[in-house]
Amino acid sequence: MHKIVILGPPGSGKGTQAEFLSKALNIPTISTGAIFRDHMARKTDLGKEVDAVMRAGKLVDNEIVNKLVQERLAKDDLQVGYILDGYPRKVEQAQFLSEYRDVSYAIYINSRDTIVMKRLAARRHCDKCGAKFNFVTNPPKVESVCDECGGELVIRADSTAEVISERLASYHFFNDPVVKFYKRRGVLVEINGELSIDDVWQEIKNKLSL
Ligand code: AMP
């Protein structure tokens, strides 16, 4: 059973690599950020509760995220394994997870701040179908128009320059101890996230012997 955690700064491409892994291993990806965005779009109680925190680039309280992940991991579509993307983000979350699940690999896609800042500022998604683009790494055929459905490409509310710096500062403060946590447990697999999308995927496949 593959119980995988994907770590790395925002903009390191971990969401994309999580999708590749999910297809290659035929296991679902659980993205806490995507779950929260879905709640916000549907204006659920949880969505309303996390809206301001997310827009400010801050982290949602541990209790809320831990409960959400624990409930999701209890569902029965995860017999073969799963990939956690965006969780754990703090060492307390990693400790919480370790109390009821072990981790086979913590894949750490590392990238310098200067590189991820450029990539994040170039991110867009379609406000109709959700397809993701990046003006640097994955540009649409026509500027600001979705290749898939012709919808308008928009920037995520938490991807403005100010919020990006905030998210990166918070990332280092909280995530670096999570990396150390998994290193000590001997499950950390470090990947150079500054390579092209294909080369990062190649490195992951090599290191995991896929
Ligand atoms: P992401 O799509 O992973 O960048 O997540 C977007 C936002 O969701 C983050 O900036 C946080 O506000 C919130 N979030 C997602 N995962 C977590 C987590 N593990 N702990 C706290 N907040 C989270």
Side-chain angles (χ1 to χ4, degrees), residues 14 32-34 36-37 53-54 57-60 65 86-89 93 156 158 167:
K14 59 185 158 59
T32 43
F36 285 137
R37 278 189 291 280
V53 176
M54 281 185 63
K58 301 236 161 57
L59 291 179
V60 175
V65 194
Y87 181 95
R89 276 258 222 312
Q93 294 177 7
R156 252 168 65 170
D158 62 0
R167 282 169 72 197

Side-chain angles (χ1 to χ4, degrees), residues 94-180:
Q95 276 154 354
F96 181 84
L97 178 69
S98 73
E99 281 163 22
Y100 66 102
R101 286 282 194 281
D102 54 350
V103 164
S104 354
Y105 297 110
I107 301 176
Y108 175 36
I109 305 183
N110 200 0
S111 196
R112 279 168 297 173
D113 285 4
T114 44
I115 308 277
V116 296
M117 288 202 70
K118 275 195 200 128
R119 286 192 190 163
L120 281 174
R123 263 187 189 178
R124 298 292 182 276
H125 69 271
C126 175
D127 70 348
K128 242 175 159 183
C129 75
K132 289 184 198 156
F133 297 89
N134 188 298
F135 290 152
V136 177
T137 54
N138 174 31
K141 290 193 185 90
V142 181
E143 206 184 307
S144 300
V145 179
C146 176
D147 288 356
E148 313 287 332
C149 75
E152 191 194 347
L153 299 185
V154 294
I155 191 161
R156 252 168 65 170
D158 62 0
S159 287
T160 59
E162 229 187 338
V163 178
I164 289 172
S165 322
E166 173 85 23
R167 282 169 72 197
L168 273 176
S170 151
Y171 162 76
H172 285 297
F173 184 77
F174 292 115
N175 187 76
D176 294 355
V178 177
V179 170
K180 284 198 192 112

Side-chain angles (χ1 to χ4, degrees), residues 7 21 23 37 49 56 59 79 106 112 138-139 154 163 169 182 185:
L7 307 172
L21 269 171
K23 280 201 190 107
R37 278 189 291 280
E49 198 176 339
L59 291 179
Q79 311 297 345
R112 279 168 297 173
N138 174 31
V154 294
V163 178
Y182 287 119
R185 296 188 163 223

